[in-house]
Amino acid sequence: QVQLVESGGDLVKPGGSLRLSCAASGFIFSDYYMSWIRQAPGKGLDWISYISGSGTTIYYADSVRGRFTISRDNAKNSLYLQMDSLRADDTAVYYCARSIGIVVGIDYWGQGALVTVSS
Amino acid sequence: NFMLTQPHSVSESPGKTVTISCTGSSGSIASNYVQWYQQRPGSAPTTVIYEDKQRPSGVPDRFSGSIDSSSNSASLTISGLKTEDEADYYCQSYDSSHHSWVFGGGTKLTVL
């Protein structure tokens, strides 16, 4: 069965960096777009970034462009999110998610990883 | 930028039918598919509708999706409400102009 397991969430100081990972299993990883979506405490869902199956197509939300970098390693069935210059308003649960195409949305979600940015 | 607007909350009694709307800010909401996600308290979201009206396997047929081009809105209808349907529901679509995904603000469904 499809599984997406995030890791790497932590408490980090403002201006710091963190790398999230998402381990995928149960499907042919390279066939799917992967994305990161976050949810600040008590707030709604907020799309961060997506990457195509080959890794050649990448887009970011304005709020993170230039600070966050999405990548994937298809040999390791893994998705990553490198987060730099973190700010307090980046505090959120970060979900990785799978989709067959960018216009059809998400079919599977991970359980989420909590990132807290605080001094 | 393209935005999706949902009611903040809705409530209905068990066994009844409820409809949650999702209105597009500009252009035609029918131009790209709309998805609906359910998020129960303390849990990750799950997909209940994709491609406007398709249900993933395992989602009961009490859940249905539709598009109304005249009002530029999508709707999620849940019939035969159960207490387990109490959750936050989010609509989502693709903004072709900005190559971005857009989520509605979410609707809290209370079944009482």
Side-chain angles (χ1 to χ4, degrees), chain B:
Chain B
N1 284 5
F2 180 65
M3 295 173 55
L4 295 171
T5 300
Q6 301 179 233
H8 184 257
S9 63
V10 296
S11 62
E12 191 49 272
S13 302
K16 299 292 190 178
T17 297
V18 70
T19 297
I20 299 171
S21 62
C22 170
T23 303
S25 62
S26 61
S28 171
I29 200 167
S31 297
N32 287 299
Y33 289 122
V34 174
Q35 282 63 237
W36 290 91
Y37 307 110
Q38 177 193 66
Q39 187 177 34
R40 294 189 174 108
S43 296
T46 61
T47 303
V48 292
I49 294 289
Y50 67 99
E51 293 181 10
D52 297 339
K53 58 183 180 181
Q54 305 301 321
R55 280 188 312 277
S57 60
V59 174
D61 60 5
R62 301 185 297 106
F63 289 79
S64 63
S66 63
I67 299 292
D68 182 353
S69 297
S70 66
S71 59
N72 206 38
S73 65
S75 293
L76 172 69
T77 299
I78 310 171
S79 60
L81 276 169
K82 300 182 177 184
T83 55
E84 68 201 46
D85 298 331
E86 193 162 281
D88 293 326
Y89 291 86
Y90 296 90
C91 60
Q92 175 265 322
S93 190
Y94 179 63
D95 180 353
S96 306
S97 300
H98 297 89
H99 303 283
S100 62
W101 279 356
V102 178
F103 286 92
T107 298
K108 181 177 180 59
L109 169 63
T110 301
V111 181
L112 41 66

Side-chain angles (χ1 to χ4, degrees), chain A residues 31-51:
Chain A
D31 282 353
Y32 290 83
Y33 276 78
M34 297 297 296
S35 56
W36 290 99
I37 294 97
R38 68 183 179 184
Q39 186 171 36
K43 302 296 185 183
L45 300 173
D46 182 29
W47 169 74
I48 295 299
S49 180
Y50 63 71
I51 183 170

